[in-house]
Amino acid sequence: MTGRNYYIYDVFSDEALAGNPLAIVLDAEDLDDAAMQRIAGEFNLSETVFVLPAENDNHTARLRIFTPRTELPFAGHPTVGTAIALAERAGTGGDGIRTSILMLEEAVGAVRCAVTVGKNAAYAEFDLPRLPVSLPIPIEPEAVAAALGLGHHEIGFENHTISTWSAGVPYVCVPVADLDVARRARIDAALWRSLLPELEGPAAAPYIYCRETVNHDHAFHVRMFAPDDGIAEDPATGSAAAAFAGAIMQHDALVDGSHGLLIEQGIEMGRPSSIRLEIDVHGGAVESARIGGHAIRVAEGRLLI
C-alpha cells in the first residue's frame, strides 16, 4: 500500500480533546509544495506539519508547517507537538521517564527542543529561535476596537497599550480591560485587513489579552484570530506567546532574572490550553526565552497518497 503515516496530537494540554489539534505527516520528502498545502487543507486544522530528513546530519528532522491556506516559517504548537511525537516514536518502551534533546529545522532556523516523556504525559520546551522585535505599525485604538467589535474605551489596561511584535511571525498585541471584554471580541476580517500595511510574509493577526484569568495560577488570558490563514480562532498559539514576550517586557518592565508565566487560551472555544512562557532578562532586556507545554496523541492513521 502506498502512502505515509500521520498522527494527530492535542497540544498545550495534557488531556485529549483540549488544546490545539495538530496533524503530523511523516516521511513527507516526496511531497511538493502544492501537495503539502492541499493535504493541510484536507486536515483543516490550525496547522499541519510535514516531517522531512534534516539538512544537517546533527539535527533530528526538518519541518514544514502549513495552515489550511499558507505556509508558516515558525509556529509553537507544531514545534511542541512534533518534538513530542518524534521523541515518543524513538522511545524504547518502558514506564520510566525519558528526556531527550531534539534539533528541529524550521524556516525560521534551527529550534532546540527538550522533551520529557513519561507513562501518562509528555512535555516539550523549545528555545525561541528569534527573540521578539517590535514592529513600527501605527494602529489607532479606535480602529482596532471597531475591527474587534469592542468599544475604544475597552482597549488597554494599566500601562498596556497596543503594540506589534514578531519572533518569526508578527502579531498585534491588543490589551483589553478584562475577561468580559475578551469574551465579547469578534473579528471583522475585512476591516482588520484594511488597518495593516502590506508586509512581507504573514499578516499580523490580533492577539487579545487581559490580566484577568479563569485559572488563577495563570498570568494572562488570551485569544487569537487569523481568518486570512483559514483559522477563525486558534485554541493555542505558541508563536504569538513568543512575540508577546516583547510586549510583556515593554509594559511590565521585568527585572533581571528568570520569569515563568502561564498563559491560558482556547477557553471560549471549549478547548482550554496552557502555554508556559519563560523569559530570561539581563540588563533590562530579553536575553532568551522558551515556550513549553504538554501534548497527547489522540489519533493515528495512514494517508493513501
Side-chain angles (χ1 to χ4, degrees):
M1 181 183 293
T2 61
R4 65 208 78 239
N5 295 324
Y6 71 86
Y7 299 137
I8 304 292
Y9 274 73
D10 286 341
V11 184
F12 291 124
S13 174
D14 58 2
E15 296 183 2
L17 308 181
N20 199 348
L22 171 72
I24 303 168
V25 179
L26 304 171
D27 305 317
E29 57 267 30
D30 62 332
L31 295 173
D32 61 21
D33 295 4
M36 291 183 188
Q37 188 63 76
R38 291 176 67 188
I39 291 169
E42 182 81 5
F43 280 114
N44 200 32
L45 300 176
S46 295
E47 279 103 18
T48 296
V49 173
F50 296 88
V51 180
L52 302 95
E55 295 180 347
N56 184 324
D57 291 340
N58 295 317
H59 295 169
T60 308
R62 181 163 69 96
L63 309 186
R64 295 187 65 182
I65 303 169
F66 287 77
T67 75
R69 295 183 184 172
T70 191
E71 184 173 7
L72 295 177
F74 162 68
H77 103 278
T79 301
V80 167
T82 307
I84 288 173
L86 295 178
E88 289 183 335
R89 193 180 187 218
T92 57
D95 295 337
I97 295 175
R98 306 188 307 275
T99 300
S100 54
I101 302 296
L102 286 70
M103 290 295 293
L104 302 179
E105 299 172 356
E106 302 182 17
V108 75
V111 183
R112 179 183 178 275
C113 307
V115 184
T116 300
V117 177
K119 181 179 179 181
N120 298 315
Y123 183 90
E125 180 180 78
F126 66 87
D127 300 324
L128 298 195
R130 294 183 186 175
L131 293 180
V133 295
S134 177
L135 302 179
I137 302 178
I139 306 178
E140 294 299 323
E142 294 80 3
V144 169
L148 296 176
L150 303 173
H152 68 85
H153 63 286
E154 296 176 312
I155 302 296
F157 64 82
E158 302 164 6
N159 66 324
H160 283 245
T161 58
I162 297 169
S163 57
T164 304
W165 296 85
S166 176
V169 179
Y171 292 92
V172 179
C173 298
V174 182
V176 298
D178 53 32
L179 277 174
D180 177 65
V181 178
R183 287 167 177 155
R184 288 190 284 106
R186 300 290 185 273
I187 189 168
D188 181 325
L191 184 54
W192 180 263
R193 197 178 304 115
S194 72
L195 305 180
L196 302 176
E198 291 292 330
L199 296 175
E200 183 177 349
Y207 188 67
I208 300 164
Y209 69 95
C210 62
R211 188 90 72 185
E212 185 182 7
T213 60
V214 175
N215 299 295
H216 298 302
D217 59 341
H218 285 58
F220 293 97
H221 179 93
V222 307
R223 298 180 70 187
M224 197 283 282
F225 306 104
D228 283 354
D229 292 335
I231 305 167
E233 182 171 357
D234 201 30
T237 318
S239 60
F244 185 44
I248 294 172
M249 187 67 218
Q250 177 185 18
H251 295 113
D252 287 350
L254 302 178
V255 300
D256 283 10
S258 295
H259 303 265
L261 306 167
L262 291 175
I263 298 170
E264 64 183 28
Q265 191 176 346
I267 292 174
E268 289 81 0
M269 304 175 66
R271 297 198 64 99
S273 305
S274 182
I275 299 172
R276 181 169 178 81
L277 170 62
E278 294 186 1
I279 305 173
D280 298 328
V281 179
H282 181 73
V286 177
E287 181 178 55
S288 60
R290 293 166 297 283
I291 297 288
H294 291 90
I296 182 169
R297 189 188 306 181
V298 296
E300 57 186 280
R302 189 164 181 82
L303 285 172
L304 302 180
I305 53 176

